[in-house]
Amino acid sequence: MAKAVQADRERERWMNHIFPGGFPALWCPPITHYREDGSLDVERIEGHLAWMSGWVSGFLVPGSTSDGWEMSEDEEDQWVDLALRVAEEKGLFLWIGVLRGRGDEAAARIRQWMDRLAPGGAEDLMKRRIAGFAVCPPRGPGVTQDRVYDDLRQVAETGAPLCFYQIPQVTQSRVEPETLGRLIEEFGNVLALKDSSGEDRCAASAEVRGHIRLMRGAEGDYLQWWAEAGGIYDGFLLSTANAFGEAYARMFDAWRKGDKEAAQDLSRRLTAVMEKAFGLAQTLGVSNAFAAANKLIDHFYAHGPGAVEISGPRVRGGQQIPTLALEETGKVLREYGLLPERGYWAK
């Protein structure tokens, strides 16, 4: 018990140090914009991040929506460096995604990042706007909880601030509430959980809730999950914030001002658009349907109502999303009153 109390105190020191103004409610794993040759479109990425900064308080880079599972270390380095430039300029926060590898490999990658970006430790992290590192359980359908604990323990022993990332749709494994509770009791640098499973078992567990900050990554029915509206999550880390950051900000604001009907209406419309966009993206035959769905929506937020006249965005590998998919996306956005009047990237 004494060790758990000590870990909670250490955790609060970390949280107060990194987030002196409080933990943000809205985070985003940004999509990766590509050039025709498959390289990162740096100008387009920076413009997108800068636009999102009006409503989104922090990013996970590279995340699943960023194609983080498929990137080389050089691409990861490039992505993080450009995200840090925007974060420092706009006063945002950054979780650095360390998504692949065994526990010892993830720990080594974190130490590599710390040596390069924050050799002075906590003070350097704060100066660089780095919230910490997001790490997944080890991959594989047969992974035991003993293995999950051992891998994540090795990561926690780096001493770096951590967000564990639950996404069994990709990893085929999960950290169970009991395992996460054990890690929380032992390590005060375990600060947060992003749960994209849609199962929500960890957030509902007394072993977890109230000890670390909880971010929901699963899409849909947003308002019911938000703590301020009676839910169990402190905030969200959503792929749809790539385009809908302003809409989420309006939803939060409406609820706080007592206009519950407007907040619930926005939540319903956002849910409907995401479901239809994701269904459309699944027909495209791409490796990352969530990234494609958000690229379809972002294309309209970048270029406005006439986005169908602009060449479609590219997925990883350089493949261009076809015009027909853009046309259908435009119809959905118009149907639910979420088609922007002007694009942020309009020239």
Side-chain angles (χ1 to χ4, degrees):
M1 181 63 71
K3 189 172 185 179
V5 171
Q6 183 179 354
D8 277 340
R9 288 174 179 168
E10 180 188 349
R11 195 163 10 257
E12 283 310 301
R13 286 195 294 271
W14 271 113
M15 296 301 296
N16 292 334
H17 187 76
I18 298 172
F19 307 109
F23 190 74
L26 185 60
W27 301 72
C28 179
I31 52 178
T32 299
H33 298 276
Y34 296 103
R35 298 187 183 279
E36 187 174 358
D37 63 2
S39 63
L40 273 59
D41 188 339
V42 173
E43 181 184 13
R44 183 72 175 80
I45 291 171
E46 288 184 333
H48 184 206
L49 295 180
W51 174 73
M52 282 194 286
S53 71
W55 309 281
V56 175
S57 298
F59 302 114
L60 165 59
V61 173
S64 294
T65 311
S66 317
D67 301 318
W69 296 97
E70 303 173 70
M71 286 187 170
S72 67
E73 286 195 2
D74 286 344
E75 288 175 312
E76 291 174 355
D77 290 349
Q78 185 182 10
W79 225 132
V80 169
D81 286 343
L82 70 90
L84 281 173
R85 288 198 296 272
V86 176
E88 291 171 6
E89 178 184 342
K90 301 292 184 180
L92 308 174
F93 297 100
L94 189 69
W95 294 110
I96 297 176
V98 183
L99 306 185
R100 296 167 298 183
R102 303 185 310 268
D104 58 339
E105 294 170 330
R109 183 66 167 145
I110 288 172
R111 291 189 178 98
Q112 184 182 48
W113 281 118
M114 289 292 293
D115 289 344
R116 185 163 81 85
L117 298 176
E123 288 300 322
D124 283 354
L125 288 173
M126 187 175 69
K127 289 176 184 175
R128 300 301 306 272
R129 310 295 298 182
I130 299 170
F133 301 88
V135 182
C136 294
R139 296 183 74 170
V143 172
T144 66
Q145 287 303 294
D146 285 343
R147 166 74 190 284
V148 170
Y149 168 79
D150 190 57
D151 271 40
L152 296 182
R153 174 190 56 78
Q154 292 179 69
V155 173
E157 286 174 348
T158 64
L162 299 174
C163 170
F164 290 147
Y165 183 2
Q166 184 97 295
I167 184 166
Q169 303 94 316
V170 176
T171 62
Q172 299 180 289
S173 65
R174 53 182 50 76
V175 55
E176 296 291 353
E178 297 79 11
T179 305
L180 181 54
R182 184 180 172 191
L183 290 158
I184 289 169
E185 284 190 357
E186 294 179 14
F187 296 98
N189 56 319
V190 177
L191 306 184
L193 172 73
K194 178 196 176 182
D195 193 337
S196 296
S197 69
E199 299 164 347
D200 308 299
R201 292 204 302 269
C202 285
S205 167
E207 295 165 291
V208 175
R209 192 177 175 196
H211 295 280
I212 61 175
R213 302 308 188 269
L214 300 168
M215 299 175 287
R216 195 169 199 260
E219 300 283 350
D221 299 323
Y222 305 99
L223 199 59
Q224 78 173 58
W225 296 105
W226 185 36
E228 290 191 36
I232 56 177
Y233 284 90
D234 301 294
F236 301 91
L237 207 165
L238 297 171
S239 66
T240 48
N242 274 283
F244 292 145
E246 187 270 342
Y248 288 120
R250 280 193 286 124
M251 183 184 77
F252 295 150
D253 188 56
W255 183 268
R256 286 166 175 156
K257 290 179 177 177
D259 193 348
K260 296 182 179 181
E261 185 176 343
Q264 290 165 345
D265 176 64
L266 258 176
S267 180
R268 284 192 295 268
R269 287 190 285 136
L270 289 163
T271 297
V273 169
M274 188 58 225
E275 287 175 350
K276 292 191 176 187
F278 183 59
L280 181 60
Q282 287 181 307
T283 70
L284 299 177
V286 297
S287 62
N288 191 338
F290 257 110
N294 283 285
K295 287 184 177 188
L296 284 167
I297 299 170
D298 169 72
H299 192 69
F300 283 87
Y301 277 76
H303 301 291
V308 290
E309 306 300 327
I310 308 294
S311 296
R314 297 182 183 277
V315 297
R316 185 163 181 82
Q319 175 188 344
Q320 199 163 41
I321 292 178
T323 301
L324 181 60
L326 293 173
E327 291 173 348
E328 292 301 314
T329 303
K331 292 176 184 177
V332 170
L333 290 169
R334 185 174 286 107
E335 177 185 356
Y336 289 95
L338 290 168
L339 185 68
E341 295 180 2
R342 177 178 170 79
Y344 68 83
W345 200 244
K347 301 296 185 181

